Every structure is written in C-alpha cells, then in structure tokens.
Amino acid sequence: MAVNTTNKPVISGSLQCFPLRLHPGQDIQASLVEFTRSNNLPSAFILTCVGSVTKARLRMACGQEIRVFEGCREIVSIVGTISGGQGSHMHISLSDVNGDVIGGHVMGDLIVHTTAEVMIGHIEGVKFTRSIDEATGYDELCVEKP
C-alpha cells in the first residue's frame, strides 16, 4: 500500500518504457521535451541515461547562480520529470577527466558529445502539469488523472 503524506489520493497507472539514443550536437532537455510532445506522453520521467556532453548550463543548489560548463564530461546521472512536452524538471551529475563530479538543475544547453542513451518512463492514465507553488515560488509538479 502506498503511503501518502499529502492527504491526497495516490494516482498510479501502468508503466511504459521508451528507449532512445540522442546524437552529437542534440540538446538533451529540448529533445526529451519534444519526444514526449510528439509521442503524446503526458507523464514522462527519466529512468536512466548514460553518455557524454560538451556543454551544460546548470543552476547551482538552492540558489540563483547559473554556471555553464564546457568541455567533454560523462553523464553520471540524470533524473527528472517531463510534463507532457510542456516543460521539464531535470537534475544532472557530470564527471570530468579527473573523475570530479558537478551537478545541478538543468537550465538548457545540455549538448550531447558522443551519445546520450536514455530510457524514458511513462505512466498511463496520469498527467503531469506544473504550476506555481506559492510556498516555493517555483513551478512545481502536479499529478492528475486526465
């Protein structure tokens, strides 16, 4: 039984998986948003991703500082939700040639170096939207039955 701390009904559905490969020069975030839009996937999320990037524009933790990282870095992890092709919320960890890892909130310009092998999950019968949460000031995830 699912435990729900919000006192709202738990919404669930069947899981679908969509494997895809992105190619050099593609923007990962924009490509995944477009993939969910063109395949009518209103409740998509990233299950896993491996590959490398040449550029990443990230917002640093709990702040407003945005930094751009250039040069080849390995994708250690990407997690996030994609709201029906309307937008996304993604975080990434990247390692450099020394194995040092940086991470943050993806702000676009996440450009594939050699490949990005991505597994997208989708929950049938569920719709993700985003709306401003007055407590946080950010567009936050809303889970609905369509």
Side-chain angles (χ1 to χ4, degrees), residues 101-140:
V101 176
I102 53 99
H105 178 99
V106 176
M107 298 298 292
D109 294 331
L110 190 58
I111 308 302
V112 174
H113 175 61
T114 57
T115 191
E117 300 167 5
V118 188
M119 180 67 68
I120 298 294
H122 175 255
I123 308 166
E124 290 184 316
V126 175
K127 179 180 179 183
F128 293 166
T129 59
R130 304 196 78 74
S131 64
I132 294 289
D133 182 317
E134 291 181 18
T136 68
Y138 290 104
D139 281 344
E140 302 290 2

PDB file of all heavy atoms in Angstrom, residues 101-140:
ATOM      1  N   VAL A 101      33.065  15.381  -9.860  1.00  0.00           N
ATOM      2  CA  VAL A 101      31.662  15.434 -10.238  1.00  0.00           C
ATOM      3  C   VAL A 101      31.059  16.782  -9.854  1.00  0.00           C
ATOM      4  O   VAL A 101      31.290  17.292  -8.762  1.00  0.00           O
ATOM      5  CB  VAL A 101      30.864  14.285  -9.572  1.00  0.00           C
ATOM      6  CG1 VAL A 101      29.382  14.382  -9.882  1.00  0.00           C
ATOM      7  CG2 VAL A 101      31.415  12.936 -10.012  1.00  0.00           C
ATOM      8  N   ILE A 102      30.279  17.336 -10.789  1.00  0.00           N
ATOM      9  CA  ILE A 102      29.481  18.521 -10.527  1.00  0.00           C
ATOM     10  C   ILE A 102      28.036  18.160 -10.839  1.00  0.00           C
ATOM     11  O   ILE A 102      27.775  17.174 -11.540  1.00  0.00           O
ATOM     12  CB  ILE A 102      29.935  19.747 -11.371  1.00  0.00           C
ATOM     13  CG1 ILE A 102      30.003  19.414 -12.866  1.00  0.00           C
ATOM     14  CG2 ILE A 102      31.271  20.248 -10.894  1.00  0.00           C
ATOM     15  CD1 ILE A 102      28.811  19.861 -13.617  1.00  0.00           C
ATOM     16  N   GLY A 103      27.126  18.938 -10.329  1.00  0.00           N
ATOM     17  CA  GLY A 103      25.725  18.669 -10.625  1.00  0.00           C
ATOM     18  C   GLY A 103      24.878  19.878 -10.351  1.00  0.00           C
ATOM     19  O   GLY A 103      25.315  20.837  -9.719  1.00  0.00           O
ATOM     20  N   GLY A 104      23.664  19.832 -10.880  1.00  0.00           N
ATOM     21  CA  GLY A 104      22.744  20.926 -10.652  1.00  0.00           C
ATOM     22  C   GLY A 104      21.465  20.754 -11.442  1.00  0.00           C
ATOM     23  O   GLY A 104      21.221  19.713 -12.068  1.00  0.00           O
ATOM     24  N   HIS A 105      20.654  21.793 -11.416  1.00  0.00           N
ATOM     25  CA  HIS A 105      19.370  21.861 -12.102  1.00  0.00           C
ATOM     26  C   HIS A 105      19.626  22.246 -13.557  1.00  0.00           C
ATOM     27  O   HIS A 105      20.245  23.279 -13.830  1.00  0.00           O
ATOM     28  CB  HIS A 105      18.502  22.916 -11.401  1.00  0.00           C
ATOM     29  CG  HIS A 105      17.172  23.137 -12.016  1.00  0.00           C
ATOM     30  ND1 HIS A 105      16.034  22.555 -11.521  1.00  0.00           N
ATOM     31  CD2 HIS A 105      16.790  23.876 -13.073  1.00  0.00           C
ATOM     32  CE1 HIS A 105      14.994  22.946 -12.245  1.00  0.00           C
ATOM     33  NE2 HIS A 105      15.432  23.747 -13.198  1.00  0.00           N
ATOM     34  N   VAL A 106      19.173  21.432 -14.499  1.00  0.00           N
ATOM     35  CA  VAL A 106      19.410  21.678 -15.922  1.00  0.00           C
ATOM     36  C   VAL A 106      18.618  22.908 -16.363  1.00  0.00           C
ATOM     37  O   VAL A 106      17.399  22.978 -16.186  1.00  0.00           O
ATOM     38  CB  VAL A 106      19.021  20.449 -16.775  1.00  0.00           C
ATOM     39  CG1 VAL A 106      19.182  20.749 -18.256  1.00  0.00           C
ATOM     40  CG2 VAL A 106      19.855  19.237 -16.372  1.00  0.00           C
ATOM     41  N   MET A 107      19.333  23.872 -16.960  1.00  0.00           N
ATOM     42  CA  MET A 107      18.730  25.114 -17.437  1.00  0.00           C
ATOM     43  C   MET A 107      18.787  25.225 -18.960  1.00  0.00           C
ATOM     44  O   MET A 107      18.669  26.308 -19.510  1.00  0.00           O
ATOM     45  CB  MET A 107      19.457  26.314 -16.806  1.00  0.00           C
ATOM     46  CG  MET A 107      19.361  26.377 -15.302  1.00  0.00           C
ATOM     47  SD  MET A 107      17.684  26.563 -14.674  1.00  0.00           S
ATOM     48  CE  MET A 107      17.280  28.216 -15.211  1.00  0.00           C
ATOM     49  N   GLY A 108      18.983  24.092 -19.639  1.00  0.00           N
ATOM     50  CA  GLY A 108      19.110  24.109 -21.102  1.00  0.00           C
ATOM     51  C   GLY A 108      20.560  23.980 -21.497  1.00  0.00           C
ATOM     52  O   GLY A 108      21.445  23.834 -20.653  1.00  0.00           O
ATOM     53  N   ASP A 109      20.806  24.045 -22.809  1.00  0.00           N
ATOM     54  CA  ASP A 109      22.173  23.927 -23.339  1.00  0.00           C
ATOM     55  C   ASP A 109      22.883  22.693 -22.791  1.00  0.00           C
ATOM     56  O   ASP A 109      24.029  22.756 -22.360  1.00  0.00           O
ATOM     57  CB  ASP A 109      23.004  25.174 -23.028  1.00  0.00           C
ATOM     58  CG  ASP A 109      22.489  26.401 -23.735  1.00  0.00           C
ATOM     59  OD1 ASP A 109      21.906  26.259 -24.827  1.00  0.00           O
ATOM     60  OD2 ASP A 109      22.670  27.507 -23.197  1.00  0.00           O
ATOM     61  N   LEU A 110      22.200  21.554 -22.802  1.00  0.00           N
ATOM     62  CA  LEU A 110      22.779  20.282 -22.387  1.00  0.00           C
ATOM     63  C   LEU A 110      23.064  19.505 -23.674  1.00  0.00           C
ATOM     64  O   LEU A 110      22.226  18.765 -24.172  1.00  0.00           O
ATOM     65  CB  LEU A 110      21.803  19.542 -21.475  1.00  0.00           C
ATOM     66  CG  LEU A 110      22.305  18.309 -20.746  1.00  0.00           C
ATOM     67  CD1 LEU A 110      23.510  18.642 -19.884  1.00  0.00           C
ATOM     68  CD2 LEU A 110      21.202  17.721 -19.902  1.00  0.00           C
ATOM     69  N   ILE A 111      24.250  19.732 -24.224  1.00  0.00           N
ATOM     70  CA  ILE A 111      24.572  19.326 -25.591  1.00  0.00           C
ATOM     71  C   ILE A 111      25.342  18.002 -25.608  1.00  0.00           C
ATOM     72  O   ILE A 111      26.395  17.870 -24.980  1.00  0.00           O
ATOM     73  CB  ILE A 111      25.382  20.423 -26.313  1.00  0.00           C
ATOM     74  CG1 ILE A 111      24.684  21.789 -26.201  1.00  0.00           C
ATOM     75  CG2 ILE A 111      25.637  20.037 -27.767  1.00  0.00           C
ATOM     76  CD1 ILE A 111      23.265  21.819 -26.757  1.00  0.00           C
ATOM     77  N   VAL A 112      24.824  17.022 -26.372  1.00  0.00           N
ATOM     78  CA  VAL A 112      25.422  15.693 -26.479  1.00  0.00           C
ATOM     79  C   VAL A 112      26.792  15.780 -27.152  1.00  0.00           C
ATOM     80  O   VAL A 112      26.957  16.446 -28.177  1.00  0.00           O
ATOM     81  CB  VAL A 112      24.505  14.742 -27.290  1.00  0.00           C
ATOM     82  CG1 VAL A 112      25.184  13.392 -27.525  1.00  0.00           C
ATOM     83  CG2 VAL A 112      23.165  14.558 -26.592  1.00  0.00           C
ATOM     84  N   HIS A 113      27.777  15.073 -26.561  1.00  0.00           N
ATOM     85  CA  HIS A 113      29.108  14.958 -27.165  1.00  0.00           C
ATOM     86  C   HIS A 113      29.132  13.773 -28.128  1.00  0.00           C
ATOM     87  O   HIS A 113      29.220  13.960 -29.326  1.00  0.00           O
ATOM     88  CB  HIS A 113      30.175  14.811 -26.082  1.00  0.00           C
ATOM     89  CG  HIS A 113      31.550  14.579 -26.617  1.00  0.00           C
ATOM     90  ND1 HIS A 113      32.195  15.480 -27.420  1.00  0.00           N
ATOM     91  CD2 HIS A 113      32.386  13.531 -26.470  1.00  0.00           C
ATOM     92  CE1 HIS A 113      33.377  14.995 -27.754  1.00  0.00           C
ATOM     93  NE2 HIS A 113      33.525  13.812 -27.188  1.00  0.00           N
ATOM     94  N   THR A 114      29.075  12.538 -27.606  1.00  0.00           N
ATOM     95  CA  THR A 114      29.091  11.352 -28.470  1.00  0.00           C
ATOM     96  C   THR A 114      27.739  10.672 -28.550  1.00  0.00           C
ATOM     97  O   THR A 114      27.305  10.255 -29.617  1.00  0.00           O
ATOM     98  CB  THR A 114      30.125  10.313 -27.981  1.00  0.00           C
ATOM     99  OG1 THR A 114      29.820   9.970 -26.624  1.00  0.00           O
ATOM    100  CG2 THR A 114      31.541  10.859 -28.078  1.00  0.00           C
ATOM    101  N   THR A 115      27.084  10.546 -27.412  1.00  0.00           N
ATOM    102  CA  THR A 115      25.780   9.884 -27.365  1.00  0.00           C
ATOM    103  C   THR A 115      25.098  10.215 -26.050  1.00  0.00           C
ATOM    104  O   THR A 115      25.752  10.634 -25.087  1.00  0.00           O
ATOM    105  CB  THR A 115      25.937   8.343 -27.482  1.00  0.00           C
ATOM    106  OG1 THR A 115      24.650   7.748 -27.695  1.00  0.00           O
ATOM    107  CG2 THR A 115      26.558   7.723 -26.240  1.00  0.00           C
ATOM    108  N   ALA A 116      23.801  10.035 -26.030  1.00  0.00           N
ATOM    109  CA  ALA A 116      23.027  10.010 -24.786  1.00  0.00           C
ATOM    110  C   ALA A 116      22.004   8.901 -24.986  1.00  0.00           C
ATOM    111  O   ALA A 116      21.117   9.002 -25.835  1.00  0.00           O
ATOM    112  CB  ALA A 116      22.350  11.342 -24.501  1.00  0.00           C
ATOM    113  N   GLU A 117      22.197   7.817 -24.254  1.00  0.00           N
ATOM    114  CA  GLU A 117      21.288   6.669 -24.313  1.00  0.00           C
ATOM    115  C   GLU A 117      20.307   6.821 -23.159  1.00  0.00           C
ATOM    116  O   GLU A 117      20.696   6.702 -22.000  1.00  0.00           O
ATOM    117  CB  GLU A 117      22.083   5.373 -24.205  1.00  0.00           C
ATOM    118  CG  GLU A 117      23.099   5.222 -25.318  1.00  0.00           C
ATOM    119  CD  GLU A 117      24.103   4.112 -25.072  1.00  0.00           C
ATOM    120  OE1 GLU A 117      23.977   3.374 -24.067  1.00  0.00           O
ATOM    121  OE2 GLU A 117      25.034   3.992 -25.886  1.00  0.00           O
ATOM    122  N   VAL A 118      19.049   7.108 -23.504  1.00  0.00           N
ATOM    123  CA  VAL A 118      18.062   7.497 -22.500  1.00  0.00           C
ATOM    124  C   VAL A 118      16.926   6.484 -22.473  1.00  0.00           C
ATOM    125  O   VAL A 118      16.462   6.028 -23.514  1.00  0.00           O
ATOM    126  CB  VAL A 118      17.471   8.890 -22.832  1.00  0.00           C
ATOM    127  CG1 VAL A 118      16.586   9.387 -21.693  1.00  0.00           C
ATOM    128  CG2 VAL A 118      18.567   9.896 -23.149  1.00  0.00           C
ATOM    129  N   MET A 119      16.483   6.150 -21.281  1.00  0.00           N
ATOM    130  CA  MET A 119      15.291   5.334 -21.099  1.00  0.00           C
ATOM    131  C   MET A 119      14.242   6.237 -20.450  1.00  0.00           C
ATOM    132  O   MET A 119      14.424   6.713 -19.325  1.00  0.00           O
ATOM    133  CB  MET A 119      15.578   4.126 -20.207  1.00  0.00           C
ATOM    134  CG  MET A 119      14.377   3.228 -19.984  1.00  0.00           C
ATOM    135  SD  MET A 119      13.794   2.343 -21.432  1.00  0.00           S
ATOM    136  CE  MET A 119      15.143   1.209 -21.704  1.00  0.00           C
ATOM    137  N   ILE A 120      13.156   6.491 -21.199  1.00  0.00           N
ATOM    138  CA  ILE A 120      12.056   7.320 -20.712  1.00  0.00           C
ATOM    139  C   ILE A 120      10.948   6.407 -20.195  1.00  0.00           C
ATOM    140  O   ILE A 120      10.568   5.447 -20.859  1.00  0.00           O
ATOM    141  CB  ILE A 120      11.489   8.200 -21.850  1.00  0.00           C
ATOM    142  CG1 ILE A 120      12.554   9.155 -22.373  1.00  0.00           C
ATOM    143  CG2 ILE A 120      10.246   8.965 -21.397  1.00  0.00           C
ATOM    144  CD1 ILE A 120      12.993  10.185 -21.379  1.00  0.00           C
ATOM    145  N   GLY A 121      10.438   6.711 -19.022  1.00  0.00           N
ATOM    146  CA  GLY A 121       9.269   6.021 -18.487  1.00  0.00           C
ATOM    147  C   GLY A 121       8.044   6.892 -18.676  1.00  0.00           C
ATOM    148  O   GLY A 121       8.144   8.122 -18.766  1.00  0.00           O
ATOM    149  N   HIS A 122       6.891   6.255 -18.753  1.00  0.00           N
ATOM    150  CA  HIS A 122       5.618   6.970 -18.878  1.00  0.00           C
ATOM    151  C   HIS A 122       4.570   6.202 -18.085  1.00  0.00           C
ATOM    152  O   HIS A 122       4.510   4.976 -18.150  1.00  0.00           O
ATOM    153  CB  HIS A 122       5.194   7.075 -20.346  1.00  0.00           C
ATOM    154  CG  HIS A 122       3.843   7.685 -20.516  1.00  0.00           C
ATOM    155  ND1 HIS A 122       2.733   6.932 -20.833  1.00  0.00           N
ATOM    156  CD2 HIS A 122       3.414   8.959 -20.383  1.00  0.00           C
ATOM    157  CE1 HIS A 122       1.680   7.735 -20.905  1.00  0.00           C
ATOM    158  NE2 HIS A 122       2.071   8.957 -20.635  1.00  0.00           N
ATOM    159  N   ILE A 123       3.729   6.911 -17.353  1.00  0.00           N
ATOM    160  CA  ILE A 123       2.679   6.290 -16.553  1.00  0.00           C
ATOM    161  C   ILE A 123       1.346   6.498 -17.268  1.00  0.00           C
ATOM    162  O   ILE A 123       0.868   7.632 -17.371  1.00  0.00           O
ATOM    163  CB  ILE A 123       2.622   6.893 -15.139  1.00  0.00           C
ATOM    164  CG1 ILE A 123       3.989   6.863 -14.481  1.00  0.00           C
ATOM    165  CG2 ILE A 123       1.585   6.161 -14.297  1.00  0.00           C
ATOM    166  CD1 ILE A 123       4.098   7.730 -13.244  1.00  0.00           C
ATOM    167  N   GLU A 124       0.771   5.411 -17.765  1.00  0.00           N
ATOM    168  CA  GLU A 124      -0.518   5.511 -18.463  1.00  0.00           C
ATOM    169  C   GLU A 124      -1.614   5.960 -17.502  1.00  0.00           C
ATOM    170  O   GLU A 124      -1.651   5.549 -16.342  1.00  0.00           O
ATOM    171  CB  GLU A 124      -0.893   4.165 -19.070  1.00  0.00           C
ATOM    172  CG  GLU A 124      -0.024   3.761 -20.243  1.00  0.00           C
ATOM    173  CD  GLU A 124      -0.492   2.463 -20.872  1.00  0.00           C
ATOM    174  OE1 GLU A 124      -0.808   1.509 -20.144  1.00  0.00           O
ATOM    175  OE2 GLU A 124      -0.539   2.425 -22.113  1.00  0.00           O
ATOM    176  N   GLY A 125      -2.507   6.814 -17.994  1.00  0.00           N
ATOM    177  CA  GLY A 125      -3.640   7.257 -17.188  1.00  0.00           C
ATOM    178  C   GLY A 125      -3.304   8.325 -16.177  1.00  0.00           C
ATOM    179  O   GLY A 125      -4.097   8.598 -15.270  1.00  0.00           O
ATOM    180  N   VAL A 126      -2.132   8.953 -16.314  1.00  0.00           N
ATOM    181  CA  VAL A 126      -1.697  10.003 -15.396  1.00  0.00           C
ATOM    182  C   VAL A 126      -1.207  11.179 -16.239  1.00  0.00           C
ATOM    183  O   VAL A 126      -0.663  10.991 -17.322  1.00  0.00           O
ATOM    184  CB  VAL A 126      -0.562   9.496 -14.472  1.00  0.00           C
ATOM    185  CG1 VAL A 126      -0.014  10.605 -13.594  1.00  0.00           C
ATOM    186  CG2 VAL A 126      -1.057   8.335 -13.615  1.00  0.00           C
ATOM    187  N   LYS A 127      -1.406  12.388 -15.722  1.00  0.00           N
ATOM    188  CA  LYS A 127      -0.948  13.582 -16.420  1.00  0.00           C
ATOM    189  C   LYS A 127      -0.142  14.446 -15.471  1.00  0.00           C
ATOM    190  O   LYS A 127      -0.572  14.709 -14.345  1.00  0.00           O
ATOM    191  CB  LYS A 127      -2.153  14.375 -16.951  1.00  0.00           C
ATOM    192  CG  LYS A 127      -1.774  15.643 -17.681  1.00  0.00           C
ATOM    193  CD  LYS A 127      -3.015  16.369 -18.188  1.00  0.00           C
ATOM    194  CE  LYS A 127      -2.637  17.644 -18.908  1.00  0.00           C
ATOM    195  NZ  LYS A 127      -3.827  18.393 -19.337  1.00  0.00           N
ATOM    196  N   PHE A 128       1.067  14.853 -15.922  1.00  0.00           N
ATOM    197  CA  PHE A 128       1.883  15.786 -15.157  1.00  0.00           C
ATOM    198  C   PHE A 128       1.662  17.189 -15.715  1.00  0.00           C
ATOM    199  O   PHE A 128       1.685  17.394 -16.923  1.00  0.00           O
ATOM    200  CB  PHE A 128       3.380  15.484 -15.301  1.00  0.00           C
ATOM    201  CG  PHE A 128       3.843  14.183 -14.702  1.00  0.00           C
ATOM    202  CD1 PHE A 128       5.092  13.686 -15.037  1.00  0.00           C
ATOM    203  CD2 PHE A 128       3.076  13.456 -13.818  1.00  0.00           C
ATOM    204  CE1 PHE A 128       5.558  12.497 -14.506  1.00  0.00           C
ATOM    205  CE2 PHE A 128       3.527  12.263 -13.277  1.00  0.00           C
ATOM    206  CZ  PHE A 128       4.775  11.788 -13.622  1.00  0.00           C
ATOM    207  N   THR A 129       1.438  18.145 -14.829  1.00  0.00           N
ATOM    208  CA  THR A 129       1.432  19.551 -15.184  1.00  0.00           C
ATOM    209  C   THR A 129       2.325  20.264 -14.172  1.00  0.00           C
ATOM    210  O   THR A 129       2.798  19.654 -13.212  1.00  0.00           O
ATOM    211  CB  THR A 129       0.009  20.152 -15.164  1.00  0.00           C
ATOM    212  OG1 THR A 129      -0.547  19.998 -13.851  1.00  0.00           O
ATOM    213  CG2 THR A 129      -0.888  19.476 -16.192  1.00  0.00           C
ATOM    214  N   ARG A 130       2.540  21.536 -14.387  1.00  0.00           N
ATOM    215  CA  ARG A 130       3.341  22.316 -13.461  1.00  0.00           C
ATOM    216  C   ARG A 130       2.603  23.624 -13.202  1.00  0.00           C
ATOM    217  O   ARG A 130       2.031  24.209 -14.116  1.00  0.00           O
ATOM    218  CB  ARG A 130       4.727  22.582 -14.038  1.00  0.00           C
ATOM    219  CG  ARG A 130       5.460  21.295 -14.407  1.00  0.00           C
ATOM    220  CD  ARG A 130       6.938  21.498 -14.617  1.00  0.00           C
ATOM    221  NE  ARG A 130       7.654  21.600 -13.370  1.00  0.00           N
ATOM    222  CZ  ARG A 130       7.925  20.576 -12.545  1.00  0.00           C
ATOM    223  NH1 ARG A 130       7.506  19.379 -12.844  1.00  0.00           N
ATOM    224  NH2 ARG A 130       8.586  20.757 -11.437  1.00  0.00           N
ATOM    225  N   SER A 131       2.594  24.039 -11.948  1.00  0.00           N
ATOM    226  CA  SER A 131       2.016  25.346 -11.625  1.00  0.00           C
ATOM    227  C   SER A 131       2.811  25.956 -10.471  1.00  0.00           C
ATOM    228  O   SER A 131       3.460  25.252  -9.705  1.00  0.00           O
ATOM    229  CB  SER A 131       0.533  25.228 -11.277  1.00  0.00           C
ATOM    230  OG  SER A 131       0.364  24.451 -10.115  1.00  0.00           O
ATOM    231  N   ILE A 132       2.736  27.269 -10.402  1.00  0.00           N
ATOM    232  CA  ILE A 132       3.461  27.994  -9.357  1.00  0.00           C
ATOM    233  C   ILE A 132       2.940  27.572  -7.984  1.00  0.00           C
ATOM    234  O   ILE A 132       1.736  27.574  -7.733  1.00  0.00           O
ATOM    235  CB  ILE A 132       3.305  29.520  -9.524  1.00  0.00           C
ATOM    236  CG1 ILE A 132       3.975  30.005 -10.816  1.00  0.00           C
ATOM    237  CG2 ILE A 132       3.859  30.275  -8.321  1.00  0.00           C
ATOM    238  CD1 ILE A 132       5.479  29.962 -10.789  1.00  0.00           C
ATOM    239  N   ASP A 133       3.868  27.195  -7.128  1.00  0.00           N
ATOM    240  CA  ASP A 133       3.557  26.876  -5.733  1.00  0.00           C
ATOM    241  C   ASP A 133       3.900  28.126  -4.922  1.00  0.00           C
ATOM    242  O   ASP A 133       5.051  28.564  -4.917  1.00  0.00           O
ATOM    243  CB  ASP A 133       4.391  25.683  -5.283  1.00  0.00           C
ATOM    244  CG  ASP A 133       4.091  25.251  -3.860  1.00  0.00           C
ATOM    245  OD1 ASP A 133       3.958  26.122  -2.972  1.00  0.00           O
ATOM    246  OD2 ASP A 133       4.013  24.035  -3.631  1.00  0.00           O
ATOM    247  N   GLU A 134       2.911  28.705  -4.259  1.00  0.00           N
ATOM    248  CA  GLU A 134       3.141  29.941  -3.521  1.00  0.00           C
ATOM    249  C   GLU A 134       4.176  29.775  -2.410  1.00  0.00           C
ATOM    250  O   GLU A 134       4.878  30.719  -2.069  1.00  0.00           O
ATOM    251  CB  GLU A 134       1.829  30.472  -2.967  1.00  0.00           C
ATOM    252  CG  GLU A 134       0.898  30.966  -4.061  1.00  0.00           C
ATOM    253  CD  GLU A 134      -0.403  31.531  -3.518  1.00  0.00           C
ATOM    254  OE1 GLU A 134      -0.474  31.857  -2.313  1.00  0.00           O
ATOM    255  OE2 GLU A 134      -1.343  31.645  -4.323  1.00  0.00           O
ATOM    256  N   ALA A 135       4.306  28.566  -1.865  1.00  0.00           N
ATOM    257  CA  ALA A 135       5.266  28.335  -0.784  1.00  0.00           C
ATOM    258  C   ALA A 135       6.707  28.343  -1.285  1.00  0.00           C
ATOM    259  O   ALA A 135       7.607  28.768  -0.568  1.00  0.00           O
ATOM    260  CB  ALA A 135       4.966  27.000  -0.091  1.00  0.00           C
ATOM    261  N   THR A 136       6.933  27.878  -2.531  1.00  0.00           N
ATOM    262  CA  THR A 136       8.307  27.807  -3.053  1.00  0.00           C
ATOM    263  C   THR A 136       8.623  28.889  -4.070  1.00  0.00           C
ATOM    264  O   THR A 136       9.788  29.218  -4.283  1.00  0.00           O
ATOM    265  CB  THR A 136       8.571  26.445  -3.725  1.00  0.00           C
ATOM    266  OG1 THR A 136       7.775  26.344  -4.918  1.00  0.00           O
ATOM    267  CG2 THR A 136       8.279  25.287  -2.779  1.00  0.00           C
ATOM    268  N   GLY A 137       7.595  29.389  -4.756  1.00  0.00           N
ATOM    269  CA  GLY A 137       7.815  30.374  -5.800  1.00  0.00           C
ATOM    270  C   GLY A 137       8.203  29.771  -7.135  1.00  0.00           C
ATOM    271  O   GLY A 137       8.515  30.489  -8.080  1.00  0.00           O
ATOM    272  N   TYR A 138       8.200  28.436  -7.222  1.00  0.00           N
ATOM    273  CA  TYR A 138       8.597  27.741  -8.450  1.00  0.00           C
ATOM    274  C   TYR A 138       7.418  26.982  -9.044  1.00  0.00           C
ATOM    275  O   TYR A 138       6.461  26.652  -8.343  1.00  0.00           O
ATOM    276  CB  TYR A 138       9.716  26.723  -8.161  1.00  0.00           C
ATOM    277  CG  TYR A 138      11.034  27.367  -7.814  1.00  0.00           C
ATOM    278  CD1 TYR A 138      11.481  27.412  -6.492  1.00  0.00           C
ATOM    279  CD2 TYR A 138      11.854  27.907  -8.799  1.00  0.00           C
ATOM    280  CE1 TYR A 138      12.699  27.983  -6.163  1.00  0.00           C
ATOM    281  CE2 TYR A 138      13.070  28.481  -8.476  1.00  0.00           C
ATOM    282  CZ  TYR A 138      13.484  28.520  -7.160  1.00  0.00           C
ATOM    283  OH  TYR A 138      14.694  29.092  -6.838  1.00  0.00           O
ATOM    284  N   ASP A 139       7.538  26.678 -10.349  1.00  0.00           N
ATOM    285  CA  ASP A 139       6.596  25.760 -10.996  1.00  0.00           C
ATOM    286  C   ASP A 139       6.851  24.377 -10.411  1.00  0.00           C
ATOM    287  O   ASP A 139       7.937  23.831 -10.600  1.00  0.00           O
ATOM    288  CB  ASP A 139       6.827  25.696 -12.508  1.00  0.00           C
ATOM    289  CG  ASP A 139       6.243  26.876 -13.245  1.00  0.00           C
ATOM    290  OD1 ASP A 139       5.412  27.575 -12.663  1.00  0.00           O
ATOM    291  OD2 ASP A 139       6.627  27.091 -14.405  1.00  0.00           O
ATOM    292  N   GLU A 140       5.885  23.824  -9.723  1.00  0.00           N
ATOM    293  CA  GLU A 140       6.052  22.514  -9.086  1.00  0.00           C
ATOM    294  C   GLU A 140       5.129  21.488  -9.747  1.00  0.00           C
ATOM    295  O   GLU A 140       4.133  21.829 -10.367  1.00  0.00           O
ATOM    296  CB  GLU A 140       5.765  22.597  -7.596  1.00  0.00           C
ATOM    297  CG  GLU A 140       6.627  23.598  -6.833  1.00  0.00           C
ATOM    298  CD  GLU A 140       8.103  23.224  -6.693  1.00  0.00           C
ATOM    299  OE1 GLU A 140       8.532  22.177  -7.225  1.00  0.00           O
ATOM    300  OE2 GLU A 140       8.834  23.992  -6.040  1.00  0.00           O
TER     301      GLU A 140
END
